[in-house]
Amino acid sequence: MTKTKILIIEDDAEISRLTAMYLEAEGFDTRIIDDGLAAQTAIKNYVPDLVILDLMLPGLSGIEICKQSRAFYCGPILILTACDDDVSEVSLLKLGADDFLTKPLKPHVLVARIEALMRRVTPTEVKQEKSKHSRLTIDLDRQTVTFDGAVLSLTGAEFEMLVLLNNSMGTPVSREDCCQALRGLEHDFNDRSIDMRISGLRKKIHDDQMPYKIITTVRNKGYMLLNG
């Protein structure tokens, strides 16, 4: 079985060493980059299944790496932040991150988040679905979406959110169901995270003005995809 490849972009040598050591003991293949300027080249050459990205890096910040890499990298990006970093979860989601953890890292939590993110992007998990929406084409093998014939640039979280809504088209999906499906965890719900992903999807399918015609909000029930 091919190992999941994880690129660790972190300039703290001790944190990156311990993180890589723990992940390799759990069966992952890892590579470490400690310079922000080398990050994009490393992503292109190593082609990781997942990126662990520190916000504070020499050369180029994690924020800029996240923004720029989304032009060519569709895999999950897990951000590492210090407790005093003045960057909100909303900002990270807008930049293209799929999840984040605060330092100091708890190894078992890190592995749980990685496994949850990888479940989202494993084609076999959602292989059976085809798009039910007349204006959407969802390619589950390639993890791509077209809307009215144009390819959408979605984060991994936005893609899986859209698949979830598509699977239940015409039926409201609760925020709790969204949190559980996206994170693979039954705890740590965050309504704001779900709302931001919905907001991102609406903008990309030009449905960000009320009344919403494609992804509607159903009061006290959640979100629903309409075939309109």
Side-chain angles (χ1 to χ4, degrees):
M1 181 181 294
T2 303
K3 291 183 178 181
T4 298
K5 299 196 301 183
I6 298 179
L7 179 64
I8 301 168
I9 306 175
E10 166 67 72
D11 66 321
D12 187 307
E14 186 65 7
I15 290 177
S16 59
R17 183 186 70 83
L18 291 174
T19 301
M21 184 173 67
Y22 187 85
L23 292 179
E24 288 176 2
E26 291 291 320
F28 297 101
D29 183 74
T30 67
R31 183 168 298 179
I32 297 170
I33 294 294
D34 61 4
D35 184 357
L37 291 174
Q40 292 193 65
T41 299
I43 294 173
K44 291 176 181 178
N45 292 341
Y46 183 49
V47 194
D49 297 300
L50 180 142
V51 172
I52 297 176
L53 176 62
D54 185 34
L55 279 186
M56 303 302 293
L57 293 164
L60 192 66
S61 72
I63 289 176
E64 286 303 316
I65 293 168
C66 191
K67 287 167 57 178
Q68 295 178 20
S69 64
R70 278 309 181 198
F72 61 87
Y73 179 69
C74 297
I77 296 178
L78 176 60
I79 296 288
L80 303 183
T81 71
C83 294
D84 58 350
D85 282 343
D86 189 24
V87 181
S88 69
E89 181 180 3
V90 172
S91 299
L92 294 175
L93 293 172
K94 284 182 176 180
L95 292 170
D98 293 283
D99 204 349
F100 78 101
L101 285 174
T102 56
K103 299 176 182 177
L105 297 177
K106 296 178 181 178
H108 64 287
V109 175
L110 174 63
V111 170
R113 292 292 178 86
I114 289 172
E115 290 176 344
L117 288 170
M118 293 313 302
R119 280 197 297 271
R120 284 210 328 244
V121 298
T122 302
T124 54
E125 294 294 320
V126 291
K127 195 81 170 180
Q128 76 282 1
E129 268 312 316
K130 293 296 181 182
S131 177
K132 299 176 181 179
H133 197 282
S134 60
R135 300 171 69 184
L136 288 166
T137 301
I138 302 175
D139 188 324
L140 299 168
D141 289 324
R142 295 184 176 87
Q143 301 279 297
T144 58
V145 176
T146 59
F147 179 72
D148 288 343
V151 177
L152 301 182
S153 176
L154 303 182
T155 66
E158 289 170 344
F159 176 85
E160 190 65 13
M161 175 72 77
L162 189 57
V163 169
L164 182 64
L165 292 172
N166 177 66
N167 290 352
S168 302
M169 194 172 73
T171 302
V173 179
S174 69
R175 288 184 174 87
E176 289 80 5
D177 288 342
C178 289
C179 286
Q180 185 173 344
L182 290 175
R183 284 197 166 179
L185 302 172
E186 293 186 0
H187 60 279
D188 200 19
F189 292 159
N190 192 320
D191 288 355
R192 185 176 58 179
S193 300
I194 301 303
D195 294 342
M196 286 306 304
R197 289 178 170 99
I198 291 292
S199 176
L201 278 173
R202 282 174 169 160
K203 288 179 181 179
K204 291 174 182 179
I205 60 176
H206 310 296
D207 187 38
D208 54 343
Q209 299 295 322
M210 295 183 69
Y212 305 119
K213 297 179 180 179
I214 302 172
I215 301 176
T216 188
T217 302
V218 181
R219 187 176 177 83
N220 297 325
K221 291 187 177 181
Y223 295 106
M224 182 168 65
L225 182 66
L226 300 175
N227 197 7

